[in-house]
Amino acid sequence: MYVIFIHGPAASGKHTIGMQVAQALGIPLFHNHLAVDAALALFEFGSPGFRRLRAAIWSAAFAEAAAAGRSFVFTFHPEATVDPALIESLTGTVRGHGGEVVFVELLCSPEAIAQRLDQPSRHRFGKLTDVALYRSIERAGGFAFPPLPPPSLRIDTEVHTPERSAALIVASLGERR
């Protein structure tokens, strides 16, 4: 069992690339907005209730998948409302069941983020689309997060298309096996 943990800033291509990786490997994509949207249905973003519910959903998903031996792709945008200890807990759950978490970091410049934020696909998912709001959150430290475990792969999504990025992830996973 393995989890491909794709992380990076907003608009770096996590969902697009994650979908292609999941399809290529025949495993599900557990996009972080599944939990975010569920928590937002009841609580304001970042509120204590929101944070607890989102963490509970992520924790339950990782625990159930690990117990069932179900591999999946997970996308994550590091940001200040997530308790860093939660990431350790999620990876510990997978490893505790004999699984592996493969971290993949997506990179892109602030200029690329600004250009991509208003894409129609982001609006469909109710994601952050306002450049001024993004910059305001960034200035306020809203995207501050301690370093995640070293990635197995770093991909610059300004250099590689989503298709190529997904192919690099799939190839990297094949080399690990």
Side-chain angles (χ1 to χ4, degrees):
M1 183 266 173
Y2 56 91
V3 176
I4 302 172
F5 194 111
I6 300 175
H7 63 91
S12 60
K14 297 178 296 294
H15 182 263
T16 301
I17 294 166
M19 282 191 326
Q20 292 181 22
V21 170
Q23 183 177 12
L25 297 173
I27 60 176
L29 168 66
F30 190 75
H31 182 47
N32 67 25
H33 269 268
L34 295 172
V36 169
D37 293 345
L40 280 175
L42 297 172
F43 302 104
E44 181 179 330
F45 186 88
S47 68
F50 171 88
R51 294 169 72 157
R52 284 190 300 271
L53 182 54
R54 179 184 58 189
I57 294 168
W58 285 346
S59 295
F62 273 68
E64 291 297 326
R70 182 76 165 135
S71 298
F72 64 98
V73 176
F74 180 67
T75 63
F76 178 69
H77 178 198
E79 50 92 359
T81 69
V82 176
D83 179 356
L86 178 60
I87 304 306
E88 294 172 27
S89 175
L90 297 175
T91 57
T93 296
V94 172
R95 292 181 181 129
H97 284 86
E100 178 183 13
V101 179
V102 179
F103 286 88
V104 175
E105 183 177 13
L106 302 184
L107 309 165
C108 65
S109 70
E111 296 78 22
I113 292 170
Q115 290 176 345
R116 295 174 180 176
L117 277 175
D118 198 32
Q119 293 297 311
S121 63
R122 295 188 60 77
H123 286 274
R124 261 189 319 223
F125 284 106
K127 296 178 178 182
L128 177 60
T129 58
D130 183 290
V131 175
L133 178 58
Y134 176 86
R135 289 184 175 145
S136 173
I137 293 168
E138 187 174 42
R139 279 192 305 275
F143 302 130
F145 200 82
L148 290 164
S152 299
L153 189 60
R154 282 189 175 95
I155 300 173
D156 184 335
T157 61
E158 289 179 82
V159 174
H160 300 289
T161 64
E163 296 78 15
R164 178 69 180 139
S165 298
L168 289 169
I169 294 167
V170 171
S172 173
L173 188 64
E175 293 169 6
R176 297 175 64 84
R177 301 256 171 265

